[in-house]
Amino acid sequence: AQTVTQSQPEMSVQEAETVTLSCTYDTSESNYYLFWYKQPPSRQMILVIRQEAYKQQNATENRFSVNFQKAAKSFSLKISDSQLGDTAMYFCASEETSGSRLTFGEGTQLTVNP
Amino acid sequence: DAGITQSPRHKVTETGTPVTLRCHQTENHRYMYWYRQDPGHGLRLIHYSYGVKDTDKGEVSDGYSVSRSKTEDFLLTLESATSSQTSVYFCATRQVNTGELFFGEGSRLTVL
């Protein structure tokens, strides 16, 4: 079974600064997807960014980018120019392409301070 | 966004009563999932479905059952609710070509 670990239960950052959220995972698969989801106070789950394991290039979506280290099984999320609207719970998740099931980490509560 | 609606959105019930949560999708996605969210645990998979009448257990399936008689609907049933099943329940569907999950708004269940 896959496991996903987020070792930072809470983090805070000043508006306009950069913050990195950590995630490690364990899988026996050779091909899989990795995701970061955001859950603001509204409780809605929103996809932030997606990475396919066979692609070496790190995914980027506007102010959000990942540092994907396949050998180390690490998948960190970097948020640049943090905004107040980035305040949310962030979940890292992995999916085995053979199993079609997502496994989530425990979450990191990020607070952006003005 | 995928059209996924959950009902009820909020429910308070007593220990020992049956509860059914409904998930309805309009995207014709084959895969559907039920997760529960609890502080410190993230989202944990309860059951999932890979087609009509095809379901399988997740990591926390004890005390729950599911049914899927139509592509659009995925029901989660607690036969006899317990206080440990107080949680927020999320339904999700999966887009096959990207692996992305689309989530409903969540259903908050309180078992007294």
Side-chain angles (χ1 to χ4, degrees), chain A residues 40-76:
Chain A
S42 67
R43 207 168 68 189
Q44 182 66 45
M45 293 286 287
I46 303 164
L47 177 67
V48 175
I49 201 164
R50 170 181 172 272
Q51 174 82 41
E52 296 175 67
Y54 70 87
K55 290 185 177 180
Q56 293 187 351
Q57 185 173 3
N58 290 326
T60 299
E61 288 288 342
N62 301 315
R63 297 181 295 108
F64 299 87
S65 62
V66 299
N67 183 6
F68 174 45
Q69 302 289 329
K70 190 172 184 178
K73 295 183 178 177
S74 170
F75 184 60
S76 61

Side-chain angles (χ1 to χ4, degrees), chain B residues 60-73:
Chain B
V60 290
S61 59
D62 287 348
Y64 301 95
S65 62
V66 290
S67 65
R68 191 168 179 201
S69 58
K70 299 186 293 184
T71 298
E72 312 90 271
D73 295 325

Side-chain angles (χ1 to χ4, degrees), chain A residues 33 35 37 39 42-47 50 89 91 95-97 99-107, chain B residues 9 31 33 35 37 40-43 45 48 57 88 90 94 97-101 103-106 108:
Chain A
Y33 296 121
F35 303 86
Y37 280 87
Q39 187 182 43
S42 67
R43 207 168 68 189
Q44 182 66 45
M45 293 286 287
I46 303 164
L47 177 67
R50 170 181 172 272
M89 180 73 82
F91 292 100
E95 185 203 49
E96 299 174 344
T97 54
S100 302
R101 305 187 303 179
L102 245 64
T103 300
F104 286 84
E106 307 91 335
Chain B
R9 296 288 310 280
Y31 289 87
Y33 305 82
Y35 285 89
Q37 181 178 11
H41 291 278
L43 279 79
L45 183 64
Y48 69 104
K57 296 179 180 180
V88 178
F90 283 94
R94 178 176 179 269
N97 59 342
T98 65
E100 179 183 355
L101 292 191
F103 288 84
E105 316 96 317
R108 181 178 293 279

Side-chain angles (χ1 to χ4, degrees), chain A residues 77-109:
Chain A
L77 175 69
K78 185 172 81 171
I79 306 174
S80 303
D81 186 24
S82 297
Q83 300 175 1
L84 297 178
D86 294 334
T87 291
M89 180 73 82
Y90 287 81
F91 292 100
C92 177
S94 69
E95 185 203 49
E96 299 174 344
T97 54
S98 61
S100 302
R101 305 187 303 179
L102 245 64
T103 300
F104 286 84
E106 307 91 335
T108 296
Q109 176 63 50

